[in-house]
Amino acid sequence: MFFIKNSIYQKITTDYSWLVILFFILRLYGITDPPLEIQHNWRQCTGLMIARNFLTIDPNIFFPRLDDTCLNSNIVAGEFPLMSYLHYLASLLFGYQHWYGRLINLIISSLGILSFGAILQFFFNKRIVWYSVLSLLVSPWLIYSRKMMPDTFSISLVFIGFWFALNFYKSKKWYNLVFFFIFSTLGCLAKIPAALYFAFFILLFYQLRKNQIRPYFITISLSISVSFFWYFVWGRYLSQHYGNWFNLGKPFVGGIIDIITHPSQVFYNFIFNSFNSYFLFGLLLYGMFRLFRDRNFNLIKYIIIFYLVFTLYIFKAGYFFYHHNYYMIPIIPVFAFVIGYGLANSNNKFILLIFIAGIIESIANQQHDFRIKPDQIYKLELESILNRLDNGEPKSPVLINTQSNPQQLYLANRRGCYISPDQMQDSNMLNSYKEKGYRWMVIDKYYENANSKKEIIYQDKHFIVYKL
């Protein structure tokens, strides 16, 4: 009986796959919610706009479209819209729903964490892998892997690709190299920071013979070339031809100035936002201490190289890095491994208690993302309000005062333009919008607004709608 119990205990504490399955099930809670959670609803809505426009306007993946471009061309240059396109394909089969992208991300990100564990298991013992996977699962990957955002999605695709790369190393079967190219390329296309993980191949090349290096070198070069074409050739063409461009960071000099002039905000991203837990950050420091104490300099070299590459990414992001916590996502798997290394090489029960406290702290600081606040539900009413006002006529574009947040334009299923309080009182400007086909000016009372001389056609406790 003791043997049975002990074997079960050993399986629970070394087999990471059940952790991934458990957290997959937990994150299904609220998966069908519309993008009304407070944290980064705007970023989800841009991807959802693109997915819906593939369905309703044009399914050409090379021409993604947004709805908040003020009736200019709504074709936009930016990340390769893979997640949005998968959302579109699901909509062809089942009809359009907000939540398909959430589920797609959750599935791919879960496969990515399984691959992360499998990659680590190729090099390290099961205890390191188990602690590393659990650390990653309770990190911000907990919530960002269930949002319509490509951050964990893109890195997960690269992890899946790297798993095939390792299989090619073991088996020399070429189909593994093909899948390595496909998944790693799709990951880098979906969001370019995923390419940071190619840095780990720099030291790997030094440990392989020339005939072993060549297939990886060619594959990675092709993957980077495809990504370069999308972002810097095709993306440049779209931006110049259609006038719209997603954020691709800042010039290095400007980014460096942003970072060095805001040290407290940058450090906060590391100290807290990396795991939503001070306890887990403490264990990250402990893990680094253990690496140096064990004189594991080969492993330290890998980590330092990634840190240096990530620093370049920080400088390129500049202002955006310390204003958006999801910019930490690319480095969190490395941090999770360092935590796992420290925990697996310690028999100190106090360290284990800190880890348990860190898990509780991290999940507690993210639990709000699994539910929608009741005071946000009113936003779902805007589409029906505007449809009633249109009275059967084709949907007209609208002006809205949501300060560049596309959430309500998306939920209202409208194209449109943002308007400031000063512009609300500018009759000449409002008349120019009317001439362009705008019929309504929507004021959400939650946002800053001003009285307009235009006729109020609808009003309730949340909205004012002016007729232009």
Side-chain angles (χ1 to χ4, degrees), residues 7 39 87 116 164 189 222 243 255 266 280 340 402 406:
S7 65
Q39 200 165 24
H87 191 133
F116 169 75
F164 281 107
L189 285 170
L222 287 173
V266 172
L280 292 180
T402 52

Side-chain angles (χ1 to χ4, degrees), residues 218-341:
I218 293 172
T219 304
I220 293 171
S221 298
L222 287 173
S223 181
I224 292 174
S225 297
V226 172
S227 302
F228 182 89
F229 173 81
W230 174 265
Y231 282 97
F232 301 106
V233 179
W234 183 248
R236 189 178 301 277
Y237 166 77
L238 291 182
S239 65
Q240 292 175 348
H241 196 74
Y242 297 102
N244 302 311
W245 185 264
F246 267 1
N247 164 47
L248 277 181
K250 300 188 66 171
F252 272 109
V253 174
I256 291 171
I257 292 172
D258 284 348
I259 296 302
I260 64 177
T261 55
H262 296 84
S264 60
Q265 291 165 279
V266 172
F267 287 135
Y268 184 76
N269 241 10
F270 285 89
I271 294 170
F272 182 76
N273 286 338
S274 55
F275 284 96
N276 294 301
S277 167
Y278 294 110
F279 286 116
L280 292 180
F281 179 76
L283 290 178
L284 171 63
L285 297 179
Y286 175 75
M288 288 302 300
F289 164 75
R290 290 292 311 204
L291 282 167
F292 280 96
R293 177 181 168 179
D294 297 343
R295 303 177 67 84
N296 197 333
F297 295 121
N298 192 45
L299 190 53
I300 290 169
K301 282 190 294 184
Y302 275 90
I303 294 172
I304 289 177
I305 281 183
F306 191 86
Y307 284 0
L308 292 175
V309 174
F310 188 73
T311 300
L312 296 177
Y313 164 72
I314 292 173
F315 289 151
K316 182 62 177 172
Y319 164 92
F320 302 102
F321 176 78
Y322 56 82
H323 272 80
H324 301 304
N325 61 357
Y326 61 84
Y327 274 70
M328 286 297 298
I329 285 175
I331 202 170
I332 290 175
V334 178
F335 284 174
F337 164 73
V338 174
I339 290 174
Y341 180 91

Side-chain angles (χ1 to χ4, degrees), residues 74 112 180 215 242-243 297 313 316 324 333-334 383 409 419 449 464 468:
N74 61 349
F180 170 41
Y242 297 102
F297 295 121
Y313 164 72
K316 182 62 177 172
H324 301 304
V334 178
E383 181 176 16
L409 279 178
I419 190 167
N449 61 82
I464 302 173
L468 296 180

Side-chain angles (χ1 to χ4, degrees), residues 250-449:
K250 300 188 66 171
F252 272 109
V253 174
I256 291 171
I257 292 172
D258 284 348
I259 296 302
I260 64 177
T261 55
H262 296 84
S264 60
Q265 291 165 279
V266 172
F267 287 135
Y268 184 76
N269 241 10
F270 285 89
I271 294 170
F272 182 76
N273 286 338
S274 55
F275 284 96
N276 294 301
S277 167
Y278 294 110
F279 286 116
L280 292 180
F281 179 76
L283 290 178
L284 171 63
L285 297 179
Y286 175 75
M288 288 302 300
F289 164 75
R290 290 292 311 204
L291 282 167
F292 280 96
R293 177 181 168 179
D294 297 343
R295 303 177 67 84
N296 197 333
F297 295 121
N298 192 45
L299 190 53
I300 290 169
K301 282 190 294 184
Y302 275 90
I303 294 172
I304 289 177
I305 281 183
F306 191 86
Y307 284 0
L308 292 175
V309 174
F310 188 73
T311 300
L312 296 177
Y313 164 72
I314 292 173
F315 289 151
K316 182 62 177 172
Y319 164 92
F320 302 102
F321 176 78
Y322 56 82
H323 272 80
H324 301 304
N325 61 357
Y326 61 84
Y327 274 70
M328 286 297 298
I329 285 175
I331 202 170
I332 290 175
V334 178
F335 284 174
F337 164 73
V338 174
I339 290 174
Y341 180 91
L343 287 166
N345 288 283
S346 172
N347 293 317
N348 191 322
K349 292 183 179 179
F350 180 69
I351 295 295
L352 184 59
L353 288 175
I354 292 176
F355 183 54
I356 294 171
I359 291 173
I360 295 170
E361 182 188 14
S362 183
I363 293 176
N365 284 324
Q366 298 179 82
Q367 51 80 28
H368 65 276
D369 215 69
F370 287 80
R371 63 183 189 277
I372 303 299
K373 289 186 175 180
D375 62 5
Q376 297 296 302
I377 300 298
Y378 77 93
K379 296 177 181 179
L380 298 176
E381 301 171 4
L382 184 57
E383 181 176 16
S384 61
I385 291 170
L386 293 174
N387 286 346
R388 289 198 301 270
L389 293 176
D390 283 335
N391 195 26
E393 297 183 38
K395 292 181 177 181
S396 62
V398 299
L399 298 174
I400 196 163
N401 69 322
T402 52
Q403 300 175 349
S404 299
N405 187 336
Q407 182 189 41
Q408 295 198 51
L409 279 178
Y410 167 73
L411 293 172
N413 197 6
R414 300 278 168 147
R415 293 188 64 188
C417 197
Y418 307 111
I419 190 167
S420 69
D422 290 339
Q423 292 171 330
M424 296 172 198
Q425 298 175 307
D426 188 334
S427 296
N428 291 330
M429 176 174 285
L430 296 180
N431 288 334
S432 70
Y433 277 110
K434 181 179 179 181
E435 291 172 2
K436 295 176 183 178
Y438 286 78
R439 191 178 299 147
W440 318 116
M441 178 169 63
V442 177
I443 306 301
D444 184 333
K445 295 179 181 179
Y446 173 82
Y447 291 89
E448 186 181 6
N449 61 82

